Amino acid sequence: MFAGAPPPISDTDWSAIADRLPWVRRLDADRRDRLRALAALFLHRKSITPVAGLQLDARARLTLAALCCLPLLEFGEEGLHGWSQLIVYPDAFRVNRSHVDAAGVMHEWDDELIGEAWESGPLVLSWADVEADIAEPDAGFCVAVHEMAHKIDALDGVLDGTPPLPRDWQRAWARDFQRSFDAFVARVDGGEDLPIDPYAAEAPEEFFAVCSEYHFSAPALLREVLPDVAAHLVRLYGTSPMDAASQV
Ligand SMILES: [Zn+2]
């Protein structure tokens, strides 16, 4: 189905992306080339579908591809397996949820979301929030990275905050993340005002996805607050392009 190499991204387009995205601009040449190849593959394999009146030109599509591939720089193209569509809303979107409880009663509610990743279904993003992340690249938010972290997490069939990793590493990861997550939840429950988004306390998988955002946008803060988690994420994602230490 995906026979042949993906069409390459032109130098002009790629330098425009590097101008626009500090995460791309600050990568060393080697990793920047790797991201370029991954982004070309992304555009080749995924259909990007703007909805609700949104229009996305080629540059916008490339922006999305580059951001979604950032977490795959070290992990590789396996991170693109298992799904085929990126749906992009102009802004935060409402989804209708339903759940039948143990007593057989159906509960329904609406959620407002800026991104969503189904286990083997589409990845969904709000374009306005992607642009807000780009406008403030060191604010601790990157919705494309968040949703891609869920995709990587789900590759082994369970969305639990632990991606598929070599066995020894996975064991250390599960231990360190669980301990950090439990301590984080205790601090949030204790009413402490933390510099990391308390949404991370929702569930282990959200903890992983939210910390992934900090890895790419506020790595020094993550290292300070959650050093064990930060170290695992450096191993998974490589040094953050936003890390001051990498700019010397
Ligand atoms: Zn999430």
Side-chain angles (χ1 to χ4, degrees), residues 135-213:
E136 269 191 285
D138 51 5
F141 298 101
C142 190
V143 66
V145 162
H146 180 111
E147 302 308 332
M148 282 300 294
H150 286 323
K151 284 296 190 193
I152 297 170
D153 185 354
L155 282 173
D156 57 4
V158 242
L159 195 63
D160 59 355
T162 308
L165 300 169
R167 217 162 58 135
D168 286 351
W169 181 11
Q170 193 170 53
R171 201 174 297 132
W173 174 295
R175 180 197 63 216
D176 294 344
F177 266 72
Q178 188 66 52
R179 195 171 44 211
S180 301
F181 174 70
D182 291 343
F184 186 82
V185 170
R187 291 171 75 179
V188 170
D189 288 351
E192 201 176 323
D193 193 13
L194 289 158
I196 302 274
D197 187 348
Y199 184 66
E202 286 277 311
E205 61 270 25
E206 297 305 338
F207 185 67
F208 167 44
V210 168
C211 289
S212 297
E213 296 187 70

Side-chain angles (χ1 to χ4, degrees), residues 97-102 105-109:
R97 307 284 193 197
S98 63
H99 163 73
V100 179
D101 71 17
V105 179
M106 163 84 97
H107 300 270
E108 284 194 88
W109 68 97

Side-chain angles (χ1 to χ4, degrees), residues 6-91:
I9 296 164
S10 75
D11 289 347
T12 319
D13 284 342
W14 190 242
S15 55
I17 292 302
D19 282 348
R20 177 142 201 243
L21 303 178
W23 299 281
V24 178
R25 194 164 61 241
R26 295 182 188 191
L27 290 173
D28 60 45
D30 193 42
R31 296 178 84 206
R32 206 183 310 142
D33 286 348
R34 230 151 62 211
L35 186 69
R36 184 173 173 172
L38 284 164
L41 200 61
F42 187 99
L43 292 172
H44 191 49
R45 288 194 184 169
K46 309 292 179 206
S47 56
I48 300 178
T49 312
V51 295
L54 179 68
Q55 310 267 350
L56 293 173
D57 61 15
R59 229 18 101 68
R61 287 163 190 267
L62 182 52
T63 300
L64 289 164
L67 287 172
C68 287
C69 290
L70 271 177
L72 306 181
L73 269 170
E74 310 300 322
F75 192 85
E77 63 178 84
E78 308 89 87
L80 295 175
H81 288 177
W83 56 285
S84 60
Q85 199 185 16
L86 168 59
I87 295 172
V88 192
Y89 282 83
D91 215 323

